[in-house]
Amino acid sequence: MGTLSPPPGPKSHFHALLSPPLLTLLLSSRQGLQMIPAICLFGAMFFLPESPRWLARKDRWEDAHAVLTLVHGKGDPDSPFVRRELEEIRAMVEFERQNADITYLELLKPHMINRTHIGVFTQIWSQLTGMNVMMYYITYVFLMAGIRGNANLVASSIQYVINVAMTVPALLFIDRWGRRPTLLVGALLMMTFLFANAGILASYGTYAGPSGVANTPAASWEVSGPPSKAVIACSYLFVASYAPTWGPVSWIYPPELFPLRVRGKAVALATSANWAFNFALGYFVPPAFVNIRWQTYLVFAVFCAAMAVHVFFFFPETAGKTLEEVVHIFEDPNGLKGLGTPAWKTRISTGRTVRMERDGFDEEEVVEKGGRVLVRGSGSEERGGGKGV
């Protein structure tokens, strides 16, 4: 069986990238500092194993087995869960090879259109949360709250720290939380803080005139005193709500929806929707602050309310599910026509996956036969035991 090993000399490549002259150059400029995380990611990618399904498609079955052993088998290549997963991948790869002529039109076919709409709207809603208001144009918001000069830059930088720090809980617990609850809670929290900012600015703010605050037309509304502090607090809380929810999940969720044969094209389409709306909002937000002022917050708050409704009725749970189980959700013959299993009836399967990794079988496969409890493993294998199994 093949073993997992990085390409020859990744450490030497990584050390070359961070040689003293280059490191000095990076640290001496703002652009250089922004390059450091990308360089670290580049070096770390050498140690990241390939997807077992991708390896299987390339007929690298030993490597696929090794990755599954690493991820699910706790080092045991003969784990029943690993063998079962490998057989499911083998069956899926064979099916995909029989249906290899894939174009973007495949994403619009009746059995795939629902998944395509969910993946694309996950990325669209991620932009329409209003995060761009906070990240790109937060200096305008803080100008309206009376913060100017270097204090504005410091206050703006704090939100980036919050964004990074609040992403960490998602990295640790996202599979335990599930996709649907995370998206729903995030949308509702962001809606709350956007409505709060709109209400504060409408109630306590005043129009700053056509030239705006500090001759910045986009900073068209002015608020001072305790209400200004409330605007700043709600802005930070908004970022803290986005970072562990829509921020990471909007990238995790779309690839989980699609079978391997169309995943690349589907994720590319969803990502293009993200950047198209990113581009549009880059043009929309400054004129919106000039023309509709604090009502800009209402627009994004309504978007957050709409996305919460959309997620509840159409976005199924994928956490802990195999690709084959996700396919069954969308193609469930007993579900809604064109939709499959209703989204609100889907549940997190992380706990079940952990039990299968630990015990080698699914509780649903435990059957009683002739007074003995039998556990169906992969293939036709049966393991017998007493009632306590």
Side-chain angles (χ1 to χ4, degrees):
M1 185 185 69
T3 57
L4 292 174
S5 59
K11 292 184 179 179
S12 62
H13 297 319
F14 190 56
H15 290 161
L17 286 170
L18 294 181
S19 59
L22 179 57
L23 188 59
T24 302
L25 177 63
L26 291 177
L27 294 175
S28 64
S29 67
R30 183 183 306 171
Q31 289 78 10
L33 288 172
Q34 293 174 347
M35 291 171 61
I36 291 176
I39 293 173
C40 293
L41 178 62
F42 176 79
M45 288 294 289
F46 285 103
F47 301 93
L48 185 68
E50 297 286 357
S51 159
R53 286 179 173 80
W54 183 88
L55 292 169
R57 291 183 71 189
K58 303 299 181 183
D59 285 325
R60 294 168 57 182
W61 290 101
E62 290 186 353
D63 290 335
H65 192 178
V67 173
L68 287 172
T69 300
L70 176 67
V71 176
H72 294 297
K74 298 182 175 64
D76 179 12
D78 297 320
S79 163
F81 182 86
V82 170
R83 287 189 284 120
R84 169 184 174 147
E85 190 77 3
L86 193 63
E87 288 304 314
E88 289 182 351
I89 291 173
R90 195 183 302 274
M92 181 60 71
V93 167
E94 182 61 30
F95 174 79
E96 289 170 352
R97 283 176 177 170
Q98 296 172 3
N99 300 269
D101 299 329
I102 300 300
T103 67
Y104 278 99
L105 293 177
E106 175 78 12
L107 300 174
L108 303 178
K109 291 184 177 180
H111 70 287
M112 199 65 66
I113 188 67
N114 186 37
R115 273 175 273 197
T116 302
H117 120 265
I118 293 171
V120 168
F121 264 93
T122 300
Q123 293 284 14
I124 290 174
W125 286 134
S126 176
Q127 289 295 325
L128 294 181
T129 56
M131 188 61 174
N132 280 323
V133 177
M134 299 301 173
M135 300 301 286
Y136 293 171
Y137 304 111
I138 193 67
T139 54
Y140 296 161
V141 177
F142 288 163
L143 266 179
M144 290 188 277
I147 301 178
R148 305 185 186 186
N150 289 334
N152 192 318
L153 295 177
V154 172
S156 302
S157 300
I158 291 173
Q159 71 153 1
Y160 291 96
V161 175
I162 293 172
N163 191 25
V164 173
M166 290 302 296
T167 303
V168 175
L171 299 177
L172 300 175
F173 303 112
I174 192 66
D175 287 329
R176 188 178 302 176
W177 294 343
R179 311 297 184 249
R180 277 173 54 83
T182 304
L183 293 175
L184 287 169
V185 170
L188 294 174
L189 286 175
M190 288 186 289
M191 177 193 71
T192 300
F193 297 125
L194 289 169
F195 273 131
N197 263 353
I200 293 167
L201 290 171
S203 301
Y204 299 99
T206 56
Y207 179 49
S211 60
V213 179
N215 293 318
T216 306
S220 58
W221 208 254
E222 192 169 15
V223 64
S224 60
S228 69
K229 294 179 175 60
V231 168
I232 295 169
C234 286
S235 299
Y236 287 155
L237 289 170
F238 172 88
V239 174
S241 301
Y242 176 89
T245 58
W246 281 85
V249 176
S250 63
W251 295 101
I252 295 170
Y253 190 57
E256 296 178 336
L257 300 171
F258 299 94
L260 200 61
R261 70 183 189 278
V262 297
R263 180 180 292 173
K265 288 181 172 61
V267 173
L269 181 63
T271 303
S272 67
N274 178 295
W275 286 107
F277 275 77
N278 188 315
F279 174 81
L281 288 174
Y283 278 91
F284 164 78
V285 172
F289 274 138
V290 172
N291 294 300
I292 62 174
R293 303 160 196 156
W294 59 267
Q295 290 97 324
T296 303
Y297 283 101
L298 292 180
V299 172
F300 289 106
V302 171
F303 280 143
C304 287
M307 73 182 68
V309 174
H310 193 190
V311 168
F312 181 83
F313 285 106
F314 290 98
F315 287 39
E317 183 58 68
T318 58
K321 299 185 186 300
T322 65
L323 196 58
E324 294 72 24
E325 289 172 329
V326 173
V327 170
H328 177 73
I329 288 175
F330 288 102
E331 300 179 6
D332 183 1
N334 299 318
L336 301 175
K337 185 177 180 180
L339 299 179
T341 305
W344 59 89
K345 291 185 178 181
T346 56
R347 297 290 182 268
I348 303 169
S349 298
T350 306
R352 170 174 164 268
T353 302
V354 170
R355 289 194 299 271
M356 290 173 67
E357 290 177 351
R358 182 189 65 222
D359 302 330
F361 60 89
D362 188 352
E363 289 179 355
E364 296 176 358
E365 295 180 315
V366 178
V367 297
E368 188 171 338
K369 183 177 180 180
R372 301 175 66 224
V373 173
L374 301 177
V375 178
R376 298 190 186 277
S378 60
S380 59
E381 177 189 1
E382 291 188 347
R383 302 202 304 276
K387 293 283 187 180
V389 175

